[in-house]
């Protein structure tokens, strides 16, 4: 037999040469193969990196082709891949899935950022909130809450929009730096949302109480006829909230309601202003709570996706290699 694949099998009792036609193995001495040449060649092939030229076969007089390890025997042609190549393909599939999810998440985060910016603007410049803020005293807690909520919402919306932009760019370019920056923005927004959510549930009635205190102050001053300017402010509150007066323990509110209530609402018990303020704020704060919860969920999901994408990009540089073995003649 003219040629053989020189195969080093540690499980066999001796070093053997296997015939190219699949015939039974023969002793190595027949082909003149050196045992130590085969040992060195075996070690070189096991250290071989897919994508580079296969190490030259050892000097074996009757061997026409250089053998390859069993791991690669069935992977032939220009698109041959090792098990590492298959792992790289699986990793690339995972990266593609992560990129698709991150793109959708970035779009949702962008919409959330725009929603929070719009909500903050409405809260700051809306008729109901602006009216109460202008009427309240300088030392009123409502004025502090009003301005703080606006600036916090604007900063949070800018952080969310920046996180969405960085994540989208990192997804398209597969950049580790952009991915890390996107993760940082998600984490920063998450750290800001947690205290906001805690404050919302621990001080759930503080905004309502501060607005009702402003209304009570204006109403009592009008009832005592101490200020004509307050009468115009009370009328503006009644028109904004579509309500009329309140149930007073003193029972002498008819004149106040007659002078300040909108036409057709005077004496309507269902249009109590304290109740209307309570209902208005309850709907508004419930919407804010839902928005905070959804945003926190997307922040956690965004941090998971960006961290997974960063590690995938980092490790794929070593796994994503493909090549084929080159047959070399002596």
């Amino acid at each position: 037999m003219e040629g053989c694949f020189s195969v080093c099998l540690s499980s066999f009792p001796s070093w053997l040469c296997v015939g190219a036609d699949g015939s039974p193995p023969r002793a190595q001495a027949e082909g003149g193969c050196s045992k130590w040449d085969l040992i060195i060649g075996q070690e070189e092939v096991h250290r071989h990196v897919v994508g580079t030229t296969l190490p030259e076969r050892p000097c074996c007089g009757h061997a026409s082709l250089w053998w390859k390890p069993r791991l690669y025997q069935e992977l032939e042609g220009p698109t041959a891949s090792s098990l590492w190549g298959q792992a790289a393909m699986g990793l690339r599939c995972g990266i593609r899935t992560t990129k698709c999810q991150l793109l959708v998440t970035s779009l949702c985060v962008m919409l959330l950022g725009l929603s929070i910016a719009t909500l903050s603007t409405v809260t700051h410049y809306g008729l109901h909130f602006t009216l109460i803020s202008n009427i309240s005293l300088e030392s009123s807690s409502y004025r502090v809450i009003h301005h703080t909520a606006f600036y916090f919402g604007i900063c949070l919306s800018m952080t969310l929009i920046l996180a969405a932009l960085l994540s989208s760019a990192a997804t398209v370019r597969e950049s580790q730096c952009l991915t890390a920056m996107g993760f940082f923005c998600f984490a920063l927004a998450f750290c800001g949302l947690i205290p906001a959510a805690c404050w919302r549930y621990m001080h759930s009635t503080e905004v309502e109480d501060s607005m009702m205190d402003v209304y009570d102050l204006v109403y009592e001053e009008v009832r005592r006829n101490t200020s004509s300017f307050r009468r115009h402010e009370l009328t503006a509150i009644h028109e904004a909230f579509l309500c009329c007066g309140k149930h007073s323990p003193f029972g002498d509110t008819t004149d106040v309601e007659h002078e300040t209530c909108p036409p057709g609402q005077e004496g309507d018990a269902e249009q109590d202003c304290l109740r209307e303020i309570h209902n208005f704020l309850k709907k508004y704060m419930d919407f804010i709570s839902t928005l905070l919860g959804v945003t926190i969920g997307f922040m956690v999901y965004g941090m998971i996706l960006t961290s997974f994408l960063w590690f995938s990009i980092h490790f794929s540089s070593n796994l994503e290699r493909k090549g084929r073995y080159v047959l070399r003649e002596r």
Side-chain angles (χ1 to χ4, degrees), residues 15-52:
W15 298 88
L16 304 174
C17 290
V18 180
D21 59 349
S23 59
R26 307 184 293 178
Q28 60 166 352
E30 181 180 343
C33 299
S34 170
K35 175 179 178 179
W36 296 109
D37 285 341
L38 293 178
I39 293 176
I40 294 173
Q42 179 76 16
E43 293 176 351
E44 289 179 353
V45 173
H46 279 300
R47 291 196 301 266
H48 172 62
V49 178
V50 178
T52 62

Side-chain angles (χ1 to χ4, degrees), residues 32-192:
C33 299
S34 170
K35 175 179 178 179
W36 296 109
D37 285 341
L38 293 178
I39 293 176
I40 294 173
Q42 179 76 16
E43 293 176 351
E44 289 179 353
V45 173
H46 279 300
R47 291 196 301 266
H48 172 62
V49 178
V50 178
T52 62
T53 303
L54 190 70
E56 186 176 355
R57 64 180 175 85
C59 180
C60 185
H62 59 268
S64 61
L65 296 176
W66 173 227
W67 59 278
K68 47 187 189 292
R70 287 180 298 173
L71 187 64
Y72 306 116
Q73 285 178 0
E74 296 180 358
L75 300 175
E76 305 268 351
T79 59
S81 301
S82 67
L83 293 182
W84 287 104
Q86 295 177 4
M89 293 174 60
L91 183 59
R92 290 301 304 172
C93 182
I95 291 178
R96 285 193 295 268
T97 304
T98 303
K99 289 169 63 176
C100 293
Q101 296 182 49
L102 189 56
L103 282 176
V104 175
T105 302
S106 299
L107 176 62
C108 294
V109 170
M110 178 75 73
L111 295 177
L112 285 172
L114 295 175
S115 300
I116 292 176
T118 303
L119 184 65
S120 301
T121 304
V122 170
T123 301
H124 192 261
Y125 296 103
L127 174 62
H128 301 80
F129 301 100
T130 303
L131 181 62
I132 298 296
S133 179
N134 294 334
I135 294 175
S136 62
L137 302 176
E138 293 292 337
S139 58
S140 174
S141 60
Y142 175 81
R143 181 166 293 190
V144 177
I145 297 173
H146 185 239
H147 291 289
T148 302
F150 172 72
Y151 293 114
F152 174 80
I154 293 298
C155 293
L156 178 61
S157 63
M158 293 175 61
T159 304
L160 294 178
I161 293 174
L162 181 60
L165 293 176
L166 289 174
S167 299
S168 301
T171 302
V172 174
R173 301 186 60 181
E174 292 190 7
S175 170
Q176 287 184 271
C177 180
L178 292 175
T179 305
M181 294 173 65
F183 176 86
F184 175 77
C185 290
F186 280 123
L188 183 63
F190 178 79
C191 292

Side-chain angles (χ1 to χ4, degrees), residues 235-291:
T235 303
I237 294 176
H238 288 166
E239 292 177 353
F241 287 93
L242 300 178
C243 59
C244 180
K246 67 173 185 177
H247 296 289
S248 174
F250 300 100
D252 52 350
T253 61
T254 304
D255 294 338
V256 175
E257 295 175 356
H258 179 74
E259 296 176 357
T260 60
C261 289
Q265 295 183 354
E266 181 180 347
D268 191 349
E270 295 183 357
Q271 300 297 327
D272 183 275
C273 279
L274 297 181
R275 182 183 302 171
E276 292 297 321
I277 292 174
H278 169 76
N279 294 336
F280 172 78
L281 286 179
K282 186 178 184 302
K283 295 178 181 178
Y284 197 81
M285 298 304 290
D286 287 345
F287 178 76
I288 291 178
S289 299
T290 303
L291 190 61

Side-chain angles (χ1 to χ4, degrees), residues 184-311:
F184 175 77
C185 290
F186 280 123
L188 183 63
F190 178 79
C191 292
L193 286 166
I194 292 300
C198 292
W199 185 91
R200 164 68 183 92
Y201 287 102
M202 295 178 64
H203 303 81
S204 57
T205 62
E206 186 168 344
V207 178
E208 179 181 337
D209 292 341
S210 61
M211 290 187 71
M212 290 184 176
D213 289 342
V214 173
Y215 180 81
D216 287 336
L217 174 65
V218 176
Y219 190 91
E220 291 302 321
E221 290 187 3
V222 171
R223 190 180 65 83
R224 297 169 185 167
N225 295 321
T226 58
S227 174
S228 59
F229 181 73
R230 289 295 188 184
R231 183 173 287 102
H232 294 289
E233 292 177 343
L234 184 61
T235 303
I237 294 176
H238 288 166
E239 292 177 353
F241 287 93
L242 300 178
C243 59
C244 180
K246 67 173 185 177
H247 296 289
S248 174
F250 300 100
D252 52 350
T253 61
T254 304
D255 294 338
V256 175
E257 295 175 356
H258 179 74
E259 296 176 357
T260 60
C261 289
Q265 295 183 354
E266 181 180 347
D268 191 349
E270 295 183 357
Q271 300 297 327
D272 183 275
C273 279
L274 297 181
R275 182 183 302 171
E276 292 297 321
I277 292 174
H278 169 76
N279 294 336
F280 172 78
L281 286 179
K282 186 178 184 302
K283 295 178 181 178
Y284 197 81
M285 298 304 290
D286 287 345
F287 178 76
I288 291 178
S289 299
T290 303
L291 190 61
L292 286 176
V294 172
T295 307
I296 290 175
F298 273 102
M299 293 304 100
V300 174
Y301 193 52
M303 287 189 290
I304 294 174
L305 291 177
T306 49
S307 60
F308 180 80
L309 183 61
W310 189 94
F311 283 107

